Amino acid sequence: MTDHETPPTETPSTGNVREPSLVLINTGDGKGKSTAAFGTAMRAVARGWKVVVIQFLKSGDWSVGEEKIGRQIGIEWWVLGDGFTWDSDDMDESQAIAREAWQSAKVKIESGRYDLIVLDEVTYPINWGWVDVAEVVSSIRSRPEKVNIILTGRDAPEELVEIADTVTEMTKIKHAFDRGVMARRGIDY
Ligand code: ATP
Ligand code: MG
C-alpha cells in the first residue's frame, strides 16, 4: 500500500515484461487527452521515431498550434475530419470523411512504417457508429509488432480499453469553458 505521508520504502516492482509496442488510450471528460498524446509524440520524435498524427475531428483552423510545431519536428500530420459534427451541414459527408480517415489510418497501421501512430479523437466516429469498433480492434491487434498506438477521445469503448496497455481517464474537476471562457489560443489550440 502507498500513502502520501511517508517516503516509499519498497522498490517498485521491476518491469521485466518486454512488449515490442504499446497501445495507449487517453479518455475522459477533462482537458488533456490530445495534449498528452502530442507530448508523447514529442518524446517519440526525440528518440528518432517516425510519428504520424491523424486527427479525426478537429477542423484545420483549430489545430494550427500543435500541427505547426508537429510538422516542424518531422511529424506527419493529417487532419482528415471536416470539423465537429455540429458545424457540419452534411452528416453523410462527415461520415464518409471519417470512414476515409479510418481507412487511411488502417493502411498506415498495417504499413509498419511508423513507430507511433496517434489517432486523435478517434472515439467519436466509433461511438457514432461511423467506424466499426471491431475493425479498429482487429487492425490494432494484428498490427506490425513495433507500431505503438495512442487513441484519444471521450467515452473510449470497452472493446478498445480491453486491448490497450495503458488507459488514462482525464477527470474534469473544473473547466474554464463552464464559466463561458472560450477556447484559448496557446492553451487549447
Ligand atoms: P486538449 O486538446 O486541450 O488536450 P482534450 O483533447 O482533452 O483537450 P477535447 O474533448 O478533444 O479535449 O477538447 C477539444 C477542445 O475542448 C480543446 O480546446 C479543449 O481544451 C477543450 N476542452 C477539453 N475538455 C473540456 C471540457 N471538459 N469542457 C469544455 N472544453 C473542453
Ligand atoms: Mg482532444
Side-chain angles (χ1 to χ4, degrees):
M1 276 304 273
T2 50
D3 63 57
H4 299 283
E5 278 142 32
T6 50
T9 48
E10 282 166 41
T11 318
S13 62
T14 48
N16 54 6
V17 178
R18 287 202 161 270
E19 285 287 355
S21 64
L22 296 173
V23 176
L24 295 87
I25 298 180
N26 298 341
T27 191
D29 62 0
K31 176 174 165 60
K33 299 174 287 294
S34 297
T35 43
F38 302 145
T40 309
M42 248 176 71
R43 286 187 174 160
V45 169
R47 303 301 173 191
W49 288 14
K50 186 162 173 56
V51 180
V52 60
V53 171
I54 299 161
Q55 292 193 295
F56 281 80
L57 281 187
K58 296 258 164 77
S59 59
D61 49 340
W62 261 62
S63 58
V64 282
E66 52 265 37
E67 181 177 352
K68 185 176 169 206
I69 297 298
R71 287 183 187 279
Q72 279 175 18
I73 64 174
I75 296 178
E76 206 181 291
W77 206 288
W78 299 85
V79 185
L80 292 165
D82 64 348
F84 297 102
T85 39
W86 50 89
D87 285 342
S88 170
D89 44 23
D90 185 347
M91 190 59 95
D92 287 344
E93 193 188 331
S94 301
Q95 191 166 339
I97 289 170
R99 289 215 171 124
E100 227 171 88
W102 163 246
Q103 284 311 316
S104 147
K106 194 174 157 191
V107 169
K108 289 181 198 310
I109 294 170
E110 285 165 2
S111 77
R113 289 200 298 121
Y114 302 93
D115 303 290
L116 176 65
I117 299 184
V118 177
L119 304 177
D120 188 39
E121 322 292 2
V122 73
T123 61
Y124 302 100
I126 294 172
N127 288 334
W128 295 329
W130 295 356
V131 169
D132 182 16
V133 69
E135 208 186 302
V136 177
V137 166
S138 117
S139 173
I140 292 176
R141 270 192 194 285
S142 59
R143 72 193 188 279
E145 67 168 5
K146 291 204 177 139
V147 179
N148 298 276
I149 301 185
I150 305 180
L151 305 96
T152 85
R154 293 179 191 209
D155 303 309
E158 196 44 48
E159 294 95 321
L160 286 176
V161 168
E162 250 167 57
I163 61 162
D165 299 284
T166 298
V167 180
T168 301
E169 182 164 38
M170 308 292 175
T171 304
K172 184 184 82 171
I173 306 236
K174 278 175 124 178
H175 197 291
F177 182 81
D178 299 342
R179 283 200 297 122
V181 179
M182 296 302 288
R184 184 149 303 188
R185 222 173 126 97
I187 297 285
D188 292 305
Y189 61 99

